[in-house]
Amino acid sequence: MSPTAGSGRPTLLGVPYDASSSFLRGTALAPSHIRSALRAASSNRSTEDGRALDTLGWDDAGDLELPPGTEARSCIEAGVARLLATGGRPLVLGGDHSVTYPVVRAVARAAAPFTILHFDAHADLYDALDGDRYSHACPFARIMEEGLAARLVQVGVRTLTAHQREQAHRFGVEMLDMQAFAAGVRPALPGPVYVSLDLDVLDPAFAPGVSHWEPGGLSTRELLTMVQAIEGPIVGADLVEYNPLRDPTGLTAMVAAKLLKEMLAAMTRE
């Protein structure tokens, strides 16, 4: 393990990219909406463990400026690498889930080996979707092919095709689907962890502002409890797939901001 694993100042980095979305666009708009919710006058800037958010020791590096096409991947990887090189620890605001692949490529050079804890309604293990190997439905296939993570632990999956089941077996994925979660199973996560949090892991009753509604998911409380329970150092994280175009009331933005606060709390816990 790199001596810097789990160290570095947590730093927000917006990645406004949704060109690899398979259904709807709109997630590229998410970073600014999440930041606005974080500053909302209707809530206070403290975490559930009683710490003031402004005292936790974190930064905001703004948004990456990205080209409109798939060449953005190399720009994302380079942007995260720069952040790491200057002592930051990335907490990425997507964007669609395809951004996780270039982010993890950069983090793996600085903090391998680590476990990926992936919260999602979908496994995102397709070899390709609609001919695109870099779709937001494919990032974890690319990550595991390249050996970028020691383990992949997925929580909340409830849409598993036969192909993705084969892929999960191929890559040795540890999958805690919603049936297992409902039965009380929880993952063991010793050692450094990278957290990838797709908001559609939540039941759409709690977070309707996502592109893919998939009923039967986690509650906001259940997800917060799991984030708060992470014991190993967090080497990086992403919060993806919030779509402001499907969130007219701003409810999901507030959910995202709440999760962001608790992720910052977990990343700065001694």
Side-chain angles (χ1 to χ4, degrees):
M1 180 178 70
S2 164
T4 62
S7 63
R9 191 172 174 91
T11 304
L12 303 188
L13 182 66
V15 180
Y17 177 82
D18 61 9
S20 295
S21 297
S22 62
F23 177 52
L24 297 175
R25 298 291 180 92
T27 57
L29 303 170
S32 63
H33 285 259
I34 296 172
R35 287 188 181 95
S36 293
L38 190 65
R39 299 189 296 265
S42 62
S43 63
N44 64 56
R45 290 174 65 84
S46 64
T47 62
E48 291 195 353
D49 62 6
R51 290 182 289 160
L53 189 64
D54 296 335
T55 68
L56 296 185
W58 57 281
D59 295 316
D60 189 339
D63 292 353
L64 292 176
E65 293 187 11
L66 299 173
T70 56
E71 62 270 24
R73 282 194 302 276
S74 61
C75 297
I76 296 167
E77 184 175 346
V80 174
R82 286 193 300 271
L83 187 154
L84 288 160
T86 55
R89 193 167 16 137
L91 204 176
V92 167
L93 305 179
D96 69 39
H97 217 152
S98 71
V99 307
T100 299
Y101 169 55
V103 172
V104 167
R105 288 195 81 196
V107 173
R109 290 196 296 271
F114 51 82
T115 294
I116 295 178
L117 175 60
H118 170 207
F119 295 101
D120 205 325
H122 315 91
D124 291 352
L125 285 167
Y126 282 101
D127 184 61
L129 186 69
D130 299 328
D132 182 4
R133 287 173 52 81
Y134 300 97
S135 163
H136 70 160
C138 305
F140 295 98
R142 303 289 80 80
I143 286 167
M144 299 307 286
E145 281 176 347
E146 294 186 20
L148 300 176
R151 298 168 64 205
L152 173 57
V153 179
Q154 298 185 321
V155 178
V157 174
R158 50 194 187 276
T159 60
L160 198 62
T161 65
H163 167 66
Q164 292 201 89
R165 195 177 300 278
E166 292 169 1
Q167 290 281 87
H169 178 75
R170 171 189 173 192
F171 295 125
V173 178
E174 300 166 54
M175 190 173 295
L176 197 165
D177 63 19
M178 280 306 303
Q179 291 180 329
F181 184 89
V185 180
R186 298 295 183 271
L189 298 166
V193 177
Y194 179 96
V195 181
S196 185
L197 200 166
D198 185 325
L199 279 172
D200 69 27
V201 73
L202 295 168
D203 191 284
F206 298 94
V210 296
S211 297
H212 297 264
W213 293 328
E214 188 60 44
L218 295 173
S219 71
T220 305
R221 183 73 264 157
E222 288 167 335
L223 180 54
L224 286 166
T225 298
M226 291 199 71
V227 168
Q228 292 162 344
I230 297 170
E231 295 181 355
I234 298 173
V235 300
D238 60 66
L239 178 61
V240 297
E241 294 288 353
Y242 166 52
N243 189 339
L245 300 181
R246 302 194 101 187
D247 190 34
T249 67
L251 167 63
T252 309
M254 294 302 293
V255 171
K258 174 74 170 182
L259 289 163
L260 178 58
K261 286 196 290 187
E262 294 307 308
M263 186 65 70
L264 284 167
M267 293 177 78
T268 55
R269 188 171 55 230
E270 293 183 1

